[in-house]
Amino acid sequence: FASYYGDHMVLQKKPSGAVVWGHGELGAMVTVTLSGASGFIIMEKTAQVKGPSGTWTTVLDPMDQGGPYALTAEQGLENVTLRDIYFGDVWLCSGQSNMAMTVLQVANASQELAAAAHYPYVRIFAAAPARSDVELQDLEQIDLPWSIPTAENLGHGNFTYFSAVCWLLGRSLYEALGSPIGLVEVAWGGTPIEAWSSRRVLQACGLSEDMGREGPQISLCHGDCFNLKPAFTSPHQDLSGPQIPSVLWNAMIHPLLNMTLRGVAWYQGEANAFLNTDQYNCTFPALIADWRRAFHTGSAGQTEPLLPFGFVQLSTYRRQSADDAFARLRWHQTADLGVVPNARMPSTFMAVAMDLGDERSPYGSIHPRDKQNVAHRLLLGARAVAYGDKDLVFQGPYPTRAILEVTRGLLNVTYSQELICRQRDAQAFEVCCSSQESLCQWLPAPVVAVGSHMVTLALSGCRMLVLGLRYAWAEWPCEYLACPLYNPQGLPAPPFL
């Protein structure tokens, strides 16, 4: 079998068929057998080993959730058997260091680690960080083979394995669905989206494939360590992971393309607040579309074409920073449309995290420890978008229209959901005040009143044209769980421009 198949794994359940593959003698026939606990053979498949990589591939018949099963691959007199296999839903978790943060590093870590033993049907796997200049067929190294979760392998060490966001999401999916869950972690701190992108993505967005190759790669620490230097003279010096385009796609994503997946969870973007920030509204939707095509093709059509893709919107970094790179990146994460799913990003869902700032985090303020709220918000999106729960509210309120009352100097902003006001922040709303059609002077628009679906803003500072409105447009826009606006379900209104 390919190196990342192993005992205790979860394979994708029906309606999809799980793809299994491995290596063998060129031209040889491999027989793959799935059998139940008693040894009863449930299905048998044959596949030929083909070149030039010397691999065989077969698609299992769609299986109901459950197990345990044994899977045997036989070539002549040789055979390999994998045991304790379950069928359920397989989720891929990828990104940079906020995805790589282990359960050991998050809030209530000791409780979370102690609870691991209650979830033997959530299985975990972590690829080792690796880079390559060419697309690889197999992972070079594995940090954690398929395993039943324990306190030790969920909290192995800082920024290693296992991903807290991935684990908390998977555990919550198991609780919500009752189905076995397989979690595949593929993350590396301090990495920009370009490193996770194929050449196709870079070309689609007009980016050079030589980006990051000009100078030496400087690593300042393990993880995202931008807080070491407040001033940036080079776009590369404060990114701790590889920045060269496609090297992580080649080494860590391409080898997995045969897998049948149920969904993807992504937590990345901090690195791109300092590199190609305003291209992210192209690179991110393009990466999603490209991964979907690649996994659909690689799995012989078993991974659905619109593979559900969830992501975490950037949290916070420096409290008093005047830099708007984080704000711009948050906006670009939605393809400049504010909420997802949208026309450019179908079948996606987003966890807003700008109210989860953690200035005292021992891992730096860029690494907030509250990953439970992140995972809960991702879970709501997954249940609504990936599992079709139509009645579930999975995102916060968003404005549907804004009407000027010129004579009274007011702006009435109508929202899509009922509003709960937790904080009347005078700086949260700003208007673009201009005497011309192009130049913007952003001035605060204080909240005068909050109704059930409407916020009324005062335009006292603006005596000229109002050309735009923005909300929570800052690196650290609000205090912990205290943004100005939420819905009754406790989900924050996302930022907008």
Side-chain angles (χ1 to χ4, degrees), residues 125-164:
F125 172 94
R131 65 185 111 190
S132 171
D133 287 333
V134 294
E135 292 180 340
L136 301 182
Q137 298 304 313
D138 212 346
L139 292 174
E140 289 186 326
Q141 212 177 335
I142 290 160
D143 270 344
L144 181 70
W146 279 107
S147 303
I148 295 168
T150 64
E152 185 183 10
N153 61 30
L154 285 177
H156 174 263
N158 293 351
F159 302 105
T160 53
Y161 56 85
F162 190 76
S163 163

Side-chain angles (χ1 to χ4, degrees), residues 33 46 78 85 107 120 143 211 213 244-245 268 333 387 461 473:
T33 308
T46 56
E78 297 177 55
I85 290 167
D143 270 344
M211 183 198 82
R213 297 179 194 271
I244 295 173
Q268 189 279 336
Q333 285 179 292
Y387 295 98
W473 200 264

Side-chain angles (χ1 to χ4, degrees), residues 22-35:
H23 305 278
E25 214 172 287
L26 207 57
M29 294 301 293
V30 175
T31 302
V32 178
T33 308
L34 183 74
S35 49

Side-chain angles (χ1 to χ4, degrees), residues 151-496:
E152 185 183 10
N153 61 30
L154 285 177
H156 174 263
N158 293 351
F159 302 105
T160 53
Y161 56 85
F162 190 76
S163 163
V165 169
C166 193
W167 166 252
L168 293 167
L169 172 62
R171 188 188 74 183
S172 303
L173 283 169
Y174 172 75
E175 288 173 340
L177 305 169
S179 169
I181 300 290
L183 300 173
V184 178
E185 178 191 341
V186 188
W188 193 332
T191 51
I193 194 169
E194 292 80 6
W196 296 100
S197 302
S198 73
R199 294 174 66 181
R200 295 181 296 272
V201 172
L202 302 168
Q203 287 165 355
C205 296
L207 290 173
S208 165
E209 292 170 38
D210 294 323
M211 183 198 82
R213 297 179 194 271
E214 302 88 14
Q217 304 289 302
I218 299 173
S219 176
L220 297 180
C221 69
H222 191 94
D224 295 310
C225 45
F226 308 117
N227 52 344
L228 294 182
K229 287 189 75 174
F232 302 100
T233 54
S234 153
H236 303 306
Q237 68 185 24
D238 291 275
L239 306 186
S240 57
Q243 300 112 58
I244 295 173
S246 304
V247 291
L248 304 184
W249 157 267
N250 291 339
M252 299 178 75
I253 301 299
H254 192 268
L256 303 176
L257 293 182
N258 290 354
M259 289 185 92
T260 310
L261 297 180
R262 187 67 184 84
V264 175
W266 172 261
Y267 196 157
Q268 189 279 336
E270 296 89 348
N272 288 98
F274 310 109
L275 179 69
N276 293 333
T277 306
D278 291 323
Q279 279 76 50
Y280 205 89
N281 60 3
C282 179
T283 47
F284 188 38
L287 174 136
I288 295 171
D290 187 65
W291 282 26
R292 283 172 170 165
R293 277 192 302 270
F295 276 101
H296 179 67
T297 304
S299 65
Q302 297 304 308
T303 295
E304 61 183 280
L306 278 180
L307 174 66
F309 197 107
F311 63 94
V312 184
Q313 196 177 48
L314 286 197
S315 184
T316 53
Y317 175 28
R318 300 166 295 194
R319 184 186 292 275
Q320 298 298 337
S321 173
D323 192 330
D324 74 342
F326 262 55
R328 296 196 331 267
L329 202 287
R330 290 186 193 109
W331 184 241
H332 296 329
Q333 285 179 292
T334 67
D336 299 355
L337 292 167
V339 286
V340 297
N342 60 46
R344 287 191 61 201
M345 299 173 69
S347 198
T348 60
F349 54 95
M350 172 175 77
V352 175
M354 65 181 180
D355 63 335
L356 303 178
D358 184 2
E359 206 165 22
R360 293 193 175 92
S361 170
Y363 314 105
S365 60
I366 207 163
H367 298 121
R369 289 166 291 179
D370 180 355
K371 296 298 193 261
Q372 287 85 351
N373 265 306
V374 169
H376 173 67
R377 292 168 185 180
L378 281 174
L379 170 71
L380 295 177
R383 287 177 58 191
V385 172
Y387 295 98
D389 190 338
K390 302 291 183 217
D391 300 323
L392 197 67
V393 176
F394 67 98
Q395 53 195 357
Y398 199 71
T400 55
R401 65 179 179 175
I403 296 178
L404 273 170
E405 286 189 57
V406 179
T407 52
R408 297 176 64 199
L410 300 175
L411 180 61
N412 294 312
V413 184
T414 304
Y415 274 82
S416 59
Q417 299 173 25
E418 187 181 338
L419 298 173
I420 305 292
C421 181
R422 290 191 187 173
Q423 174 77 37
R424 286 213 175 186
D425 183 351
Q427 301 294 319
F429 287 95
E430 297 168 285
V431 290
C432 164
C433 196
S434 178
S435 56
Q436 311 171 24
E437 289 292 330
S438 56
L439 294 173
C440 254
Q441 183 188 3
W442 288 99
L443 297 176
V447 175
V448 175
V450 180
S452 66
H453 286 76
M454 185 183 289
V455 177
T456 301
L457 308 174
L459 303 176
S460 49
C462 185
R463 307 281 179 207
M464 300 171 281
L465 289 169
V466 175
L467 295 182
L469 173 67
R470 66 189 189 186
Y471 168 75
W473 200 264
E475 201 165 290
W476 195 298
C478 44
E479 293 312 303
Y480 184 71
L481 296 179
C483 281
L485 299 176
Y486 290 78
N487 63 15
Q489 290 79 14
L491 296 174
F496 69 80

Side-chain angles (χ1 to χ4, degrees), residues 50-64:
K50 296 177 181 174
S53 54
T55 55
W56 56 267
T57 305
T58 190
V59 181
L60 302 181
D61 300 336
M63 291 286 294
D64 286 322

